[in-house]
Amino acid sequence: MLLASAARSVSAAPGLGRRAASAIALKYSSAVYGAALAKSPQVLTKVHSELATLSNSLKKDPEVANFVNNPTLSLQERNKGLAGIIAKLEGTGAKKDVFSDTTKNLLRVLSENGRLGETEGVIEGFNDLVAQYKGELTVTVTSATVLPKDALTRLETSLKQSQTAQAAKAIKITNKVNPSILGGLIVDFGDKTIDLSVQSRVTKLNNVLTQSV
């Protein structure tokens, strides 16, 4: 019911930009989180695990990634392909793990509304909500290249001194790589963003130079 409500609120919004698409993904995230938790904490945990499996497949399996991110598929093709993708993610034999109705319903709603391309954003938003539920602080560190473990450890030590981190039960740090920032770091945690990237400094310098001309 919650998923259907989310679908009605976003299905009639074609051609939206990146920021709007993110907002759409968060609506689905909130809906699937609410639907899972309304059933039980155990269902929430299962959905969390299932979406983690999907997330890993999106990163490592070209077939899954190409299907989810192909905007040219018809509704019939999406629904048919989705059944195969779910079966693939569930596995076979003794290792088969049947997906919950909540996760299947989420994917069906995304498919029916042509929003499968929002899947990664939906999972990311869902993970943030689960982290909040568990009292965890998720810190996303974006860098131009992969950071060494000792650098992440030093950063974690510094963050633990902040009021936001002290109010959390645990800190989870994720390193994302984005070469376009050129160098430096962008640190997102809670509702805060610390932009120490080279790209940010270049942009500020360009703005100053433009205004001075």
Short mmCIF file of all heavy atoms in Angstrom, two decimals, residues 105-158:
data_model
loop_
_atom_site.label_atom_id
_atom_site.label_comp_id
_atom_site.label_asym_id
_atom_site.label_seq_id
_atom_site.Cartn_x
_atom_site.Cartn_y
_atom_site.Cartn_z
N ASN A 105 7.67 -6.32 -4.62
CA ASN A 105 6.70 -5.26 -4.91
C ASN A 105 7.40 -3.96 -5.28
O ASN A 105 6.96 -3.23 -6.18
CB ASN A 105 5.78 -5.04 -3.72
CG ASN A 105 4.78 -6.17 -3.55
OD1 ASN A 105 4.52 -6.93 -4.49
ND2 ASN A 105 4.23 -6.30 -2.36
N LEU A 106 8.50 -3.66 -4.57
CA LEU A 106 9.26 -2.45 -4.88
C LEU A 106 9.75 -2.49 -6.32
O LEU A 106 9.57 -1.53 -7.08
CB LEU A 106 10.46 -2.32 -3.93
CG LEU A 106 11.51 -1.27 -4.35
CD1 LEU A 106 10.93 0.13 -4.29
CD2 LEU A 106 12.76 -1.39 -3.48
N LEU A 107 10.35 -3.60 -6.70
CA LEU A 107 10.90 -3.72 -8.05
C LEU A 107 9.80 -3.68 -9.11
O LEU A 107 9.98 -3.10 -10.19
CB LEU A 107 11.73 -5.00 -8.17
CG LEU A 107 12.97 -5.04 -7.27
CD1 LEU A 107 13.68 -6.38 -7.38
CD2 LEU A 107 13.92 -3.91 -7.62
N ARG A 108 8.66 -4.29 -8.80
CA ARG A 108 7.54 -4.26 -9.76
C ARG A 108 7.02 -2.84 -9.95
O ARG A 108 6.72 -2.42 -11.07
CB ARG A 108 6.40 -5.17 -9.26
CG ARG A 108 6.72 -6.67 -9.35
CD ARG A 108 5.48 -7.50 -9.09
NE ARG A 108 5.81 -8.91 -8.99
CZ ARG A 108 5.80 -9.60 -7.85
NH1 ARG A 108 5.45 -9.00 -6.72
NH2 ARG A 108 6.10 -10.88 -7.83
N VAL A 109 6.89 -2.10 -8.85
CA VAL A 109 6.40 -0.72 -8.94
C VAL A 109 7.39 0.15 -9.73
O VAL A 109 7.00 0.96 -10.58
CB VAL A 109 6.17 -0.12 -7.53
CG1 VAL A 109 5.88 1.37 -7.63
CG2 VAL A 109 4.99 -0.82 -6.86
N LEU A 110 8.68 -0.02 -9.47
CA LEU A 110 9.69 0.71 -10.22
C LEU A 110 9.60 0.37 -11.71
O LEU A 110 9.70 1.25 -12.57
CB LEU A 110 11.09 0.38 -9.69
CG LEU A 110 11.46 0.95 -8.32
CD1 LEU A 110 12.80 0.38 -7.85
CD2 LEU A 110 11.51 2.47 -8.35
N SER A 111 9.40 -0.91 -12.01
CA SER A 111 9.29 -1.34 -13.40
C SER A 111 8.05 -0.76 -14.06
O SER A 111 8.11 -0.21 -15.16
CB SER A 111 9.24 -2.88 -13.46
OG SER A 111 9.01 -3.33 -14.77
N GLU A 112 6.92 -0.86 -13.39
CA GLU A 112 5.65 -0.40 -13.97
C GLU A 112 5.66 1.10 -14.25
O GLU A 112 5.01 1.58 -15.18
CB GLU A 112 4.50 -0.76 -13.03
CG GLU A 112 4.19 -2.25 -13.00
CD GLU A 112 3.23 -2.62 -11.90
OE1 GLU A 112 2.78 -1.70 -11.18
OE2 GLU A 112 2.95 -3.83 -11.73
N ASN A 113 6.41 1.86 -13.45
CA ASN A 113 6.45 3.31 -13.61
C ASN A 113 7.68 3.78 -14.39
O ASN A 113 7.95 4.98 -14.45
CB ASN A 113 6.40 4.00 -12.26
CG ASN A 113 5.05 3.87 -11.61
OD1 ASN A 113 4.04 4.35 -12.10
ND2 ASN A 113 5.00 3.18 -10.49
N GLY A 114 8.41 2.81 -14.97
CA GLY A 114 9.59 3.18 -15.76
C GLY A 114 10.68 3.83 -14.93
O GLY A 114 11.42 4.68 -15.42
N ARG A 115 10.79 3.40 -13.66
CA ARG A 115 11.75 4.01 -12.75
C ARG A 115 12.86 3.05 -12.30
O ARG A 115 13.51 3.30 -11.29
CB ARG A 115 11.02 4.54 -11.51
CG ARG A 115 10.04 5.66 -11.79
CD ARG A 115 10.74 6.91 -12.28
NE ARG A 115 9.81 8.01 -12.45
CZ ARG A 115 10.14 9.19 -12.94
NH1 ARG A 115 11.38 9.40 -13.32
NH2 ARG A 115 9.24 10.14 -13.06
N LEU A 116 13.08 1.98 -13.05
CA LEU A 116 14.13 1.04 -12.65
C LEU A 116 15.50 1.73 -12.62
O LEU A 116 16.38 1.33 -11.86
CB LEU A 116 14.17 -0.15 -13.61
CG LEU A 116 13.10 -1.22 -13.37
CD1 LEU A 116 13.13 -2.26 -14.49
CD2 LEU A 116 13.29 -1.90 -12.01
N GLY A 117 15.66 2.77 -13.42
CA GLY A 117 16.91 3.51 -13.43
C GLY A 117 17.19 4.22 -12.11
O GLY A 117 18.32 4.65 -11.86
N GLU A 118 16.17 4.33 -11.26
CA GLU A 118 16.34 4.96 -9.95
C GLU A 118 16.75 3.96 -8.87
O GLU A 118 16.93 4.33 -7.71
CB GLU A 118 15.01 5.61 -9.52
CG GLU A 118 14.45 6.65 -10.46
CD GLU A 118 15.19 7.97 -10.36
OE1 GLU A 118 16.01 8.11 -9.43
OE2 GLU A 118 14.95 8.83 -11.21
N THR A 119 16.93 2.70 -9.25
CA THR A 119 17.14 1.64 -8.27
C THR A 119 18.31 1.91 -7.33
O THR A 119 18.18 1.74 -6.10
CB THR A 119 17.36 0.28 -8.98
OG1 THR A 119 16.20 -0.02 -9.76
CG2 THR A 119 17.59 -0.83 -7.97
N GLU A 120 19.45 2.32 -7.87
CA GLU A 120 20.61 2.56 -7.01
C GLU A 120 20.34 3.66 -5.99
O GLU A 120 20.73 3.55 -4.82
CB GLU A 120 21.82 2.91 -7.87
CG GLU A 120 22.35 1.73 -8.67
CD GLU A 120 23.60 2.06 -9.45
OE1 GLU A 120 24.69 1.96 -8.87
OE2 GLU A 120 23.49 2.43 -10.63
N GLY A 121 19.66 4.72 -6.42
CA GLY A 121 19.32 5.80 -5.51
C GLY A 121 18.33 5.34 -4.44
O GLY A 121 18.41 5.76 -3.28
N VAL A 122 17.39 4.48 -4.84
CA VAL A 122 16.42 3.94 -3.89
C VAL A 122 17.13 3.12 -2.81
O VAL A 122 16.85 3.26 -1.62
CB VAL A 122 15.37 3.07 -4.61
CG1 VAL A 122 14.47 2.37 -3.59
CG2 VAL A 122 14.53 3.91 -5.55
N ILE A 123 18.06 2.29 -3.24
CA ILE A 123 18.80 1.45 -2.29
C ILE A 123 19.63 2.31 -1.34
O ILE A 123 19.68 2.07 -0.14
CB ILE A 123 19.70 0.45 -3.04
CG1 ILE A 123 18.84 -0.54 -3.83
CG2 ILE A 123 20.60 -0.31 -2.07
CD1 ILE A 123 19.62 -1.47 -4.73
N GLU A 124 20.27 3.32 -1.89
CA GLU A 124 21.10 4.21 -1.07
C GLU A 124 20.25 4.92 -0.01
O GLU A 124 20.63 5.00 1.16
CB GLU A 124 21.81 5.24 -1.96
CG GLU A 124 22.82 6.08 -1.21
CD GLU A 124 23.64 6.95 -2.15
OE1 GLU A 124 23.82 6.56 -3.33
OE2 GLU A 124 24.10 8.01 -1.71
N GLY A 125 19.10 5.42 -0.44
CA GLY A 125 18.21 6.09 0.52
C GLY A 125 17.68 5.13 1.57
O GLY A 125 17.57 5.48 2.75
N PHE A 126 17.35 3.91 1.15
CA PHE A 126 16.87 2.89 2.08
C PHE A 126 17.95 2.57 3.11
O PHE A 126 17.67 2.46 4.31
CB PHE A 126 16.48 1.63 1.31
CG PHE A 126 16.00 0.49 2.17
CD1 PHE A 126 14.68 0.43 2.60
CD2 PHE A 126 16.87 -0.51 2.55
CE1 PHE A 126 14.23 -0.62 3.39
CE2 PHE A 126 16.44 -1.56 3.35
CZ PHE A 126 15.12 -1.62 3.76
N ASN A 127 19.19 2.42 2.65
CA ASN A 127 20.29 2.12 3.57
C ASN A 127 20.48 3.22 4.61
O ASN A 127 20.77 2.95 5.78
CB ASN A 127 21.59 1.91 2.79
CG ASN A 127 21.60 0.62 1.99
OD1 ASN A 127 20.82 -0.28 2.27
ND2 ASN A 127 22.47 0.53 1.01
N ASP A 128 20.30 4.47 4.19
CA ASP A 128 20.41 5.59 5.13
C ASP A 128 19.33 5.51 6.21
O ASP A 128 19.59 5.76 7.39
CB ASP A 128 20.29 6.92 4.38
CG ASP A 128 21.53 7.25 3.56
OD1 ASP A 128 22.59 6.62 3.81
OD2 ASP A 128 21.45 8.10 2.67
N LEU A 129 18.11 5.15 5.80
CA LEU A 129 17.01 5.05 6.76
C LEU A 129 17.23 3.90 7.74
O LEU A 129 16.96 4.03 8.93
CB LEU A 129 15.68 4.84 6.00
CG LEU A 129 15.19 6.06 5.21
CD1 LEU A 129 14.01 5.67 4.33
CD2 LEU A 129 14.79 7.19 6.16
N VAL A 130 17.76 2.78 7.25
CA VAL A 130 18.05 1.65 8.12
C VAL A 130 19.17 2.02 9.10
O VAL A 130 19.12 1.66 10.28
CB VAL A 130 18.46 0.41 7.30
CG1 VAL A 130 18.95 -0.72 8.21
CG2 VAL A 130 17.27 -0.09 6.48
N ALA A 131 20.16 2.75 8.62
CA ALA A 131 21.25 3.19 9.48
C ALA A 131 20.73 4.08 10.60
O ALA A 131 21.13 3.94 11.77
CB ALA A 131 22.32 3.92 8.67
N GLN A 132 19.82 4.99 10.26
CA GLN A 132 19.21 5.85 11.28
C GLN A 132 18.42 5.02 12.29
O GLN A 132 18.47 5.28 13.49
CB GLN A 132 18.30 6.87 10.61
CG GLN A 132 19.02 7.92 9.79
CD GLN A 132 18.07 8.84 9.05
OE1 GLN A 132 16.94 9.07 9.48
NE2 GLN A 132 18.52 9.36 7.91
N TYR A 133 17.70 4.04 11.78
CA TYR A 133 16.91 3.15 12.65
C TYR A 133 17.81 2.43 13.65
O TYR A 133 17.45 2.25 14.81
CB TYR A 133 16.17 2.15 11.77
CG TYR A 133 15.45 1.06 12.51
CD1 TYR A 133 14.24 1.31 13.17
CD2 TYR A 133 15.96 -0.24 12.55
CE1 TYR A 133 13.57 0.30 13.85
CE2 TYR A 133 15.29 -1.26 13.23
CZ TYR A 133 14.10 -0.97 13.88
OH TYR A 133 13.44 -1.97 14.55
N LYS A 134 19.00 2.04 13.21
CA LYS A 134 19.94 1.32 14.07
C LYS A 134 20.82 2.25 14.91
O LYS A 134 21.61 1.79 15.72
CB LYS A 134 20.85 0.43 13.22
CG LYS A 134 20.12 -0.71 12.51
CD LYS A 134 21.10 -1.54 11.70
CE LYS A 134 20.41 -2.72 11.04
NZ LYS A 134 21.38 -3.52 10.23
N GLY A 135 20.65 3.55 14.71
CA GLY A 135 21.47 4.51 15.46
C GLY A 135 22.87 4.64 14.89
O GLY A 135 23.79 5.09 15.59
N GLU A 136 23.05 4.28 13.61
CA GLU A 136 24.36 4.36 12.98
C GLU A 136 24.50 5.70 12.25
O GLU A 136 23.53 6.26 11.77
CB GLU A 136 24.55 3.24 11.96
CG GLU A 136 24.51 1.85 12.56
CD GLU A 136 24.56 0.77 11.49
OE1 GLU A 136 24.40 1.10 10.29
OE2 GLU A 136 24.74 -0.40 11.85
N LEU A 137 25.72 6.19 12.18
CA LEU A 137 26.02 7.38 11.40
C LEU A 137 26.77 6.93 10.15
O LEU A 137 27.87 6.39 10.24
CB LEU A 137 26.88 8.36 12.20
CG LEU A 137 27.37 9.59 11.42
CD1 LEU A 137 26.19 10.45 10.97
CD2 LEU A 137 28.33 10.42 12.27
N THR A 138 26.16 7.14 9.00
CA THR A 138 26.81 6.76 7.74
C THR A 138 27.58 7.96 7.20
O THR A 138 27.02 9.03 6.99
CB THR A 138 25.77 6.31 6.70
OG1 THR A 138 25.07 5.18 7.21
CG2 THR A 138 26.45 5.93 5.40
N VAL A 139 28.86 7.77 7.00
CA VAL A 139 29.73 8.83 6.48
C VAL A 139 30.19 8.43 5.08
O VAL A 139 30.77 7.36 4.91
CB VAL A 139 30.96 9.04 7.39
CG1 VAL A 139 31.84 10.15 6.82
CG2 VAL A 139 30.53 9.37 8.81
N THR A 140 29.91 9.26 4.11
CA THR A 140 30.35 9.00 2.74
C THR A 140 31.50 9.93 2.40
O THR A 140 31.35 11.15 2.44
CB THR A 140 29.21 9.21 1.73
OG1 THR A 140 28.12 8.33 2.07
CG2 THR A 140 29.67 8.89 0.32
N VAL A 141 32.64 9.35 2.12
CA VAL A 141 33.84 10.12 1.77
C VAL A 141 34.09 9.95 0.28
O VAL A 141 34.38 8.85 -0.18
CB VAL A 141 35.06 9.64 2.57
CG1 VAL A 141 36.28 10.51 2.23
CG2 VAL A 141 34.79 9.67 4.07
N THR A 142 33.97 11.03 -0.46
CA THR A 142 34.21 10.99 -1.91
C THR A 142 35.60 11.52 -2.20
O THR A 142 35.97 12.61 -1.75
CB THR A 142 33.16 11.83 -2.66
OG1 THR A 142 31.85 11.37 -2.32
CG2 THR A 142 33.36 11.72 -4.17
N SER A 143 36.37 10.75 -2.95
CA SER A 143 37.73 11.13 -3.30
C SER A 143 37.99 10.82 -4.77
O SER A 143 37.25 10.06 -5.40
CB SER A 143 38.74 10.37 -2.42
OG SER A 143 38.52 8.96 -2.50
N ALA A 144 39.04 11.42 -5.32
CA ALA A 144 39.36 11.22 -6.73
C ALA A 144 39.88 9.81 -6.99
O ALA A 144 39.69 9.25 -8.07
CB ALA A 144 40.38 12.25 -7.19
N THR A 145 40.53 9.23 -5.99
CA THR A 145 41.03 7.85 -6.06
C THR A 145 40.71 7.15 -4.75
O THR A 145 40.35 7.80 -3.76
CB THR A 145 42.56 7.81 -6.29
OG1 THR A 145 43.21 8.52 -5.22
CG2 THR A 145 42.93 8.45 -7.62
N VAL A 146 40.84 5.85 -4.73
CA VAL A 146 40.54 5.08 -3.51
C VAL A 146 41.49 5.51 -2.39
O VAL A 146 42.72 5.58 -2.59
CB VAL A 146 40.70 3.57 -3.78
CG1 VAL A 146 40.46 2.79 -2.49
CG2 VAL A 146 39.71 3.12 -4.86
N LEU A 147 40.93 5.79 -1.22
CA LEU A 147 41.75 6.21 -0.08
C LEU A 147 42.35 5.00 0.63
O LEU A 147 41.68 3.98 0.78
CB LEU A 147 40.89 6.99 0.93
CG LEU A 147 40.37 8.37 0.48
CD1 LEU A 147 39.45 8.94 1.54
CD2 LEU A 147 41.54 9.32 0.21
N PRO A 148 43.60 5.11 1.09
CA PRO A 148 44.19 4.01 1.85
C PRO A 148 43.50 3.85 3.19
O PRO A 148 42.90 4.79 3.71
CB PRO A 148 45.65 4.46 2.03
CG PRO A 148 45.62 5.94 1.85
CD PRO A 148 44.53 6.23 0.87
N LYS A 149 43.57 2.65 3.75
CA LYS A 149 42.86 2.34 4.98
C LYS A 149 43.28 3.25 6.13
O LYS A 149 42.46 3.65 6.96
CB LYS A 149 43.09 0.87 5.35
CG LYS A 149 42.22 0.39 6.51
CD LYS A 149 42.31 -1.12 6.68
CE LYS A 149 41.63 -1.85 5.55
NZ LYS A 149 41.56 -3.32 5.78
N ASP A 150 44.57 3.59 6.21
CA ASP A 150 45.02 4.42 7.32
C ASP A 150 44.44 5.83 7.25
O ASP A 150 44.16 6.46 8.28
CB ASP A 150 46.56 4.48 7.38
CG ASP A 150 47.15 5.12 6.13
OD1 ASP A 150 46.58 4.94 5.04
OD2 ASP A 150 48.19 5.80 6.25
N ALA A 151 44.20 6.33 6.03
CA ALA A 151 43.59 7.66 5.88
C ALA A 151 42.14 7.64 6.36
O ALA A 151 41.69 8.58 7.03
CB ALA A 151 43.66 8.10 4.42
N LEU A 152 41.42 6.57 6.03
CA LEU A 152 40.04 6.44 6.49
C LEU A 152 39.98 6.30 8.00
O LEU A 152 39.08 6.82 8.66
CB LEU A 152 39.38 5.23 5.82
CG LEU A 152 39.09 5.37 4.33
CD1 LEU A 152 38.58 4.05 3.75
CD2 LEU A 152 38.08 6.48 4.07
N THR A 153 40.96 5.60 8.58
CA THR A 153 41.01 5.42 10.03
C THR A 153 41.24 6.76 10.73
O THR A 153 40.59 7.07 11.73
CB THR A 153 42.15 4.45 10.42
OG1 THR A 153 41.89 3.18 9.81
CG2 THR A 153 42.21 4.27 11.94
N ARG A 154 42.15 7.59 10.18
CA ARG A 154 42.41 8.91 10.77
C ARG A 154 41.17 9.79 10.66
O ARG A 154 40.83 10.53 11.60
CB ARG A 154 43.59 9.59 10.06
CG ARG A 154 44.93 8.92 10.32
CD ARG A 154 46.09 9.86 9.95
NE ARG A 154 46.06 10.27 8.56
CZ ARG A 154 46.61 9.59 7.56
NH1 ARG A 154 47.23 8.44 7.81
NH2 ARG A 154 46.54 10.04 6.32
N LEU A 155 40.49 9.70 9.53
CA LEU A 155 39.28 10.49 9.34
C LEU A 155 38.20 10.06 10.32
O LEU A 155 37.51 10.89 10.91
CB LEU A 155 38.76 10.31 7.91
CG LEU A 155 37.49 11.08 7.53
CD1 LEU A 155 37.70 12.57 7.70
CD2 LEU A 155 37.09 10.77 6.09
N GLU A 156 38.05 8.75 10.53
CA GLU A 156 37.07 8.23 11.48
C GLU A 156 37.37 8.73 12.89
O GLU A 156 36.46 9.11 13.63
CB GLU A 156 37.06 6.71 11.46
CG GLU A 156 36.03 6.09 12.40
CD GLU A 156 36.00 4.58 12.30
OE1 GLU A 156 36.75 4.01 11.48
OE2 GLU A 156 35.22 3.96 13.05
N THR A 157 38.64 8.74 13.25
CA THR A 157 39.05 9.23 14.58
C THR A 157 38.65 10.69 14.78
O THR A 157 38.15 11.09 15.83
CB THR A 157 40.56 9.08 14.77
OG1 THR A 157 40.91 7.69 14.65
CG2 THR A 157 41.00 9.57 16.15
N SER A 158 38.85 11.49 13.73
CA SER A 158 38.49 12.91 13.80
C SER A 158 36.98 13.10 13.89
O SER A 158 36.48 13.91 14.66
CB SER A 158 39.04 13.65 12.58
OG SER A 158 40.44 13.58 12.52
#
